[in-house]
Amino acid sequence: MNGLLLLHATIVTVDPDRRIIEDGAIAISGDRIVDIGASADLKARHQDKKVMDCRGKLIIPGLIDAHGHAGHVLIRSIAADTNSMWMRIVTPAYHHYTTRDYWYADGLVSGLERLRAGVTTGVSIISSMPRSDDPVFASNHARAYGEIGLREIICVGPAGLPWPHSVTRWETGSPVRRQVSFEEMIEGAEATIQELDGSADGRIKVFITPFTIVPSLDPSNMSTPDQAVKLTDNDRMQARRVRETARKWGVRIHSDAFAGQIRMAFQDKENALLGPDVHLQHCWGISHQEIDILAETGTFVTHAPPGRSTPILNMIARGVPVAITTDGVSPSRHFDMFQTARLAQYTQHLLANHDRYLLPPGKLFEMITIEAARALGMAHEIGSLEVGKKADIAIINMRQPHLTPNWMVIHRLAHQVLGSDVETVIVDGKILMEGGKVLTADVDQALDFGEREARALVERAGLQAHMHSPGWGQLSRTFDEPVVPPAPPEV
């Protein structure tokens, strides 16, 4: 047999003509799509290929999650009651209590979750605030994705201020604390790029990722105009060094941005972390001026709902390309891109007086396929089903009560399909999951490993108190109870 022939499916191509092919077929040779069209035509032309009968199935491009965080799956729900509590608990845990094995376990579990939801390409920032002091963290995470067979964009770079940054390493079995300078973070990122970029037959890429594009401002919230006034020396130094690193290695740039940061970054015309090689996550509360800057520079934006203060409709109207992402799974999210896109649509409808013509089903689906591929600079390879592109495919079982009748499939994708409806996943022409069964990893073994590493992290960090289940309908802590982040371990 020479490749695969998928027959008798409904195919959502997301090609330039946005074709939907009934009783359609796709022929695959090696890692590429070599033919697409009517089943009767392709069956006659590709008799040498292994046939997969896809009657009652919907074939779509593999989904793309253009912003997520490595480490999240093994700490989900801890400190989940408020965002401020989560940041104060989880960031110290990442920087002082994670081991090399933790990152491999997280890669296995997160990769399997994405795979089973039809996500064939996922961005993974190492930690909530990028951690680049030990390149093995990134290589272990990428190794897991490589073994499963998925595409992964590993994101490493300088953590936010202050510099140097305190971290703890556990390679000896005991905690060893050290201060990591900005230049050491850049060196760690470069080591990761050198080792991983283009590995696993090209499925693994590395982007340079500072925590935010303007480190002197609040790294997780909007800054008012009186706070966002003038770039500091640290702001300019970070932009220059990130730009130099990106040029040296030929990699793209990814970062977070919030109101005030885009306008300030634009003051440094030579090194601003803006442009067609950059995609920025969040962009909460940005002004019309900042939207104009994004449009003028050709910068891509990625959005994780609900994010009600992100003016995504204004950005789209101005020509700024926007994709939808999960932002990882913690403290209370998941890798189901269908439900994530649905939440983005619902939020925008509520903000716009229930105008259901905004973010219509087709546009919504583009934002987790071809628009996400554009944000990653990969639209020539993935994001749609076209001859010559990579054979990254998700197959959905439509023979289910909640998906019957099988018509208006774009509306089905926007309104009813769940990640769990994905039955078969193909990446680079290789079947990774078929009929709901993962073929490239031992799922039970991976989950057992993840469970052990998650509980070991909690024990090292002393987070047991934050794991207690609250009473029904109650918060896991009272409002007058202090939030105590884990202290760095004694060394």
Side-chain angles (χ1 to χ4, degrees), residues 353-381:
N353 297 318
H354 300 276
D355 186 344
R356 293 187 177 272
Y357 287 97
L358 300 173
L359 291 189
K363 180 61 179 177
L364 201 67
F365 190 59
E366 291 172 359
M367 295 170 79
I368 56 176
T369 52
I370 193 64
E371 291 295 343
R374 289 180 65 200
L376 299 179
M378 299 176 69
H380 62 294
E381 295 273 40

Short mmCIF file of all heavy atoms in Angstrom, two decimals, residues 353-381:
data_model
loop_
_atom_site.label_atom_id
_atom_site.label_comp_id
_atom_site.label_asym_id
_atom_site.label_seq_id
_atom_site.Cartn_x
_atom_site.Cartn_y
_atom_site.Cartn_z
N ASN A 353 -24.87 43.16 22.14
CA ASN A 353 -26.33 43.13 22.13
C ASN A 353 -26.88 41.90 21.40
O ASN A 353 -27.84 41.97 20.63
CB ASN A 353 -26.89 44.40 21.48
CG ASN A 353 -26.53 45.63 22.27
OD1 ASN A 353 -26.60 45.62 23.50
ND2 ASN A 353 -26.12 46.69 21.59
N HIS A 354 -26.24 40.76 21.63
CA HIS A 354 -26.71 39.47 21.09
C HIS A 354 -26.77 39.48 19.56
O HIS A 354 -27.64 38.82 18.97
CB HIS A 354 -28.08 39.11 21.68
CG HIS A 354 -28.06 38.97 23.17
ND1 HIS A 354 -27.68 37.82 23.81
CD2 HIS A 354 -28.35 39.87 24.15
CE1 HIS A 354 -27.76 38.00 25.12
NE2 HIS A 354 -28.16 39.23 25.35
N ASP A 355 -25.87 40.19 18.94
CA ASP A 355 -25.83 40.22 17.47
C ASP A 355 -25.17 38.94 16.97
O ASP A 355 -23.96 38.80 16.96
CB ASP A 355 -25.04 41.44 16.99
CG ASP A 355 -25.08 41.60 15.48
OD1 ASP A 355 -25.44 40.62 14.80
OD2 ASP A 355 -24.74 42.69 14.99
N ARG A 356 -25.96 38.00 16.52
CA ARG A 356 -25.46 36.68 16.13
C ARG A 356 -24.81 36.68 14.75
O ARG A 356 -24.33 35.65 14.30
CB ARG A 356 -26.57 35.63 16.21
CG ARG A 356 -27.02 35.40 17.64
CD ARG A 356 -28.00 34.25 17.76
NE ARG A 356 -28.34 34.03 19.16
CZ ARG A 356 -27.65 33.23 19.97
NH1 ARG A 356 -26.58 32.61 19.51
NH2 ARG A 356 -28.01 33.07 21.22
N TYR A 357 -24.81 37.81 14.07
CA TYR A 357 -24.09 37.90 12.81
C TYR A 357 -22.60 38.16 13.04
O TYR A 357 -21.80 38.11 12.09
CB TYR A 357 -24.68 39.00 11.92
CG TYR A 357 -26.01 38.60 11.34
CD1 TYR A 357 -27.20 39.02 11.93
CD2 TYR A 357 -26.10 37.79 10.21
CE1 TYR A 357 -28.43 38.65 11.41
CE2 TYR A 357 -27.32 37.42 9.68
CZ TYR A 357 -28.48 37.85 10.28
OH TYR A 357 -29.70 37.47 9.76
N LEU A 358 -22.22 38.45 14.28
CA LEU A 358 -20.81 38.65 14.62
C LEU A 358 -20.15 37.31 14.93
O LEU A 358 -20.75 36.45 15.58
CB LEU A 358 -20.68 39.59 15.82
CG LEU A 358 -21.28 40.99 15.61
CD1 LEU A 358 -21.26 41.76 16.91
CD2 LEU A 358 -20.53 41.74 14.52
N LEU A 359 -18.94 37.13 14.46
CA LEU A 359 -18.24 35.85 14.58
C LEU A 359 -19.14 34.70 14.15
O LEU A 359 -19.45 33.80 14.92
CB LEU A 359 -17.74 35.62 16.01
CG LEU A 359 -16.61 36.50 16.51
CD1 LEU A 359 -16.10 35.99 17.85
CD2 LEU A 359 -15.45 36.57 15.52
N PRO A 360 -19.59 34.71 12.90
CA PRO A 360 -20.44 33.61 12.41
C PRO A 360 -19.67 32.30 12.39
O PRO A 360 -18.43 32.29 12.52
CB PRO A 360 -20.81 34.07 11.00
CG PRO A 360 -19.71 34.98 10.60
CD PRO A 360 -19.28 35.68 11.84
N PRO A 361 -20.37 31.18 12.25
CA PRO A 361 -19.72 29.87 12.37
C PRO A 361 -18.48 29.70 11.50
O PRO A 361 -17.47 29.17 11.96
CB PRO A 361 -20.82 28.89 11.98
CG PRO A 361 -22.08 29.57 12.38
CD PRO A 361 -21.83 31.04 12.11
N GLY A 362 -18.53 30.13 10.25
CA GLY A 362 -17.37 29.96 9.38
C GLY A 362 -16.16 30.72 9.87
O GLY A 362 -15.04 30.20 9.88
N LYS A 363 -16.38 31.97 10.27
CA LYS A 363 -15.26 32.78 10.79
C LYS A 363 -14.70 32.15 12.06
O LYS A 363 -13.48 32.10 12.27
CB LYS A 363 -15.73 34.20 11.07
CG LYS A 363 -14.65 35.12 11.62
CD LYS A 363 -13.49 35.26 10.63
CE LYS A 363 -12.41 36.18 11.14
NZ LYS A 363 -11.26 36.25 10.21
N LEU A 364 -15.58 31.67 12.91
CA LEU A 364 -15.15 31.06 14.16
C LEU A 364 -14.24 29.86 13.89
O LEU A 364 -13.19 29.70 14.53
CB LEU A 364 -16.38 30.62 14.96
CG LEU A 364 -16.20 30.41 16.45
CD1 LEU A 364 -15.91 31.72 17.16
CD2 LEU A 364 -17.44 29.76 17.04
N PHE A 365 -14.63 29.03 12.91
CA PHE A 365 -13.82 27.85 12.60
C PHE A 365 -12.48 28.24 11.99
O PHE A 365 -11.46 27.60 12.26
CB PHE A 365 -14.59 26.91 11.67
CG PHE A 365 -13.94 25.57 11.50
CD1 PHE A 365 -13.71 24.75 12.60
CD2 PHE A 365 -13.54 25.13 10.26
CE1 PHE A 365 -13.08 23.52 12.45
CE2 PHE A 365 -12.92 23.91 10.09
CZ PHE A 365 -12.70 23.09 11.19
N GLU A 366 -12.45 29.31 11.19
CA GLU A 366 -11.18 29.79 10.64
C GLU A 366 -10.21 30.17 11.76
O GLU A 366 -8.99 30.00 11.62
CB GLU A 366 -11.42 31.02 9.77
CG GLU A 366 -12.14 30.74 8.47
CD GLU A 366 -12.51 32.02 7.73
OE1 GLU A 366 -12.22 33.13 8.25
OE2 GLU A 366 -13.10 31.91 6.64
N MET A 367 -10.74 30.67 12.88
CA MET A 367 -9.89 31.18 13.95
C MET A 367 -9.21 30.09 14.75
O MET A 367 -8.32 30.37 15.56
CB MET A 367 -10.72 32.10 14.86
CG MET A 367 -11.20 33.36 14.15
SD MET A 367 -12.40 34.32 15.10
CE MET A 367 -11.30 35.15 16.26
N ILE A 368 -9.57 28.82 14.54
CA ILE A 368 -8.86 27.72 15.19
C ILE A 368 -8.20 26.80 14.16
O ILE A 368 -7.72 25.73 14.50
CB ILE A 368 -9.79 26.90 16.12
CG1 ILE A 368 -11.02 26.36 15.38
CG2 ILE A 368 -10.23 27.76 17.31
CD1 ILE A 368 -11.91 25.46 16.23
N THR A 369 -8.19 27.27 12.89
CA THR A 369 -7.52 26.51 11.83
C THR A 369 -6.58 27.43 11.05
O THR A 369 -5.47 27.68 11.48
CB THR A 369 -8.55 25.82 10.91
OG1 THR A 369 -9.52 26.79 10.45
CG2 THR A 369 -9.27 24.71 11.66
N ILE A 370 -7.06 28.00 9.96
CA ILE A 370 -6.16 28.73 9.06
C ILE A 370 -5.65 30.04 9.68
O ILE A 370 -4.49 30.41 9.46
CB ILE A 370 -6.85 28.99 7.70
CG1 ILE A 370 -5.84 29.46 6.66
CG2 ILE A 370 -8.01 29.97 7.84
CD1 ILE A 370 -4.77 28.43 6.32
N GLU A 371 -6.47 30.75 10.46
CA GLU A 371 -5.98 31.98 11.09
C GLU A 371 -4.93 31.67 12.15
O GLU A 371 -3.96 32.42 12.32
CB GLU A 371 -7.14 32.77 11.70
CG GLU A 371 -8.10 33.38 10.69
CD GLU A 371 -7.43 34.45 9.82
OE1 GLU A 371 -6.35 34.96 10.19
OE2 GLU A 371 -7.99 34.77 8.76
N ALA A 372 -5.10 30.56 12.87
CA ALA A 372 -4.08 30.16 13.84
C ALA A 372 -2.79 29.76 13.13
O ALA A 372 -1.69 30.06 13.60
CB ALA A 372 -4.60 29.01 14.69
N ALA A 373 -2.91 29.09 11.98
CA ALA A 373 -1.72 28.74 11.20
C ALA A 373 -0.99 29.99 10.73
O ALA A 373 0.24 30.05 10.73
CB ALA A 373 -2.12 27.87 10.01
N ARG A 374 -1.75 31.01 10.31
CA ARG A 374 -1.13 32.28 9.89
C ARG A 374 -0.38 32.91 11.06
O ARG A 374 0.74 33.43 10.88
CB ARG A 374 -2.20 33.23 9.38
CG ARG A 374 -2.81 32.86 8.05
CD ARG A 374 -3.86 33.88 7.65
NE ARG A 374 -3.26 35.19 7.40
CZ ARG A 374 -3.92 36.34 7.42
NH1 ARG A 374 -5.23 36.34 7.69
NH2 ARG A 374 -3.31 37.48 7.19
N ALA A 375 -0.96 32.88 12.25
CA ALA A 375 -0.30 33.48 13.41
C ALA A 375 1.04 32.81 13.69
O ALA A 375 1.97 33.46 14.19
CB ALA A 375 -1.21 33.39 14.63
N LEU A 376 1.15 31.52 13.39
CA LEU A 376 2.39 30.77 13.63
C LEU A 376 3.34 30.83 12.44
O LEU A 376 4.42 30.22 12.49
CB LEU A 376 2.06 29.31 13.95
CG LEU A 376 1.20 29.05 15.18
CD1 LEU A 376 0.94 27.56 15.33
CD2 LEU A 376 1.84 29.62 16.44
N GLY A 377 2.95 31.52 11.36
CA GLY A 377 3.78 31.55 10.17
C GLY A 377 3.81 30.22 9.45
O GLY A 377 4.76 29.91 8.73
N MET A 378 2.74 29.43 9.58
CA MET A 378 2.72 28.07 9.04
C MET A 378 1.54 27.82 8.10
O MET A 378 1.22 26.67 7.79
CB MET A 378 2.69 27.05 10.18
CG MET A 378 3.90 27.11 11.10
SD MET A 378 3.78 25.98 12.51
CE MET A 378 3.92 24.38 11.69
N ALA A 379 0.90 28.87 7.62
CA ALA A 379 -0.29 28.70 6.79
C ALA A 379 0.03 28.04 5.45
O ALA A 379 -0.88 27.52 4.78
CB ALA A 379 -0.98 30.04 6.56
N HIS A 380 1.29 28.04 5.04
CA HIS A 380 1.66 27.36 3.80
C HIS A 380 1.75 25.86 3.99
O HIS A 380 1.83 25.10 3.01
CB HIS A 380 3.01 27.88 3.30
CG HIS A 380 4.15 27.63 4.25
ND1 HIS A 380 4.23 28.22 5.50
CD2 HIS A 380 5.25 26.83 4.14
CE1 HIS A 380 5.32 27.81 6.12
NE2 HIS A 380 5.95 26.97 5.31
N GLU A 381 1.71 25.39 5.25
CA GLU A 381 1.85 23.96 5.55
C GLU A 381 0.62 23.34 6.19
O GLU A 381 0.29 22.19 5.90
CB GLU A 381 3.05 23.75 6.50
CG GLU A 381 4.40 24.10 5.91
CD GLU A 381 5.03 22.93 5.14
OE1 GLU A 381 4.28 22.24 4.44
OE2 GLU A 381 6.24 22.74 5.28
#
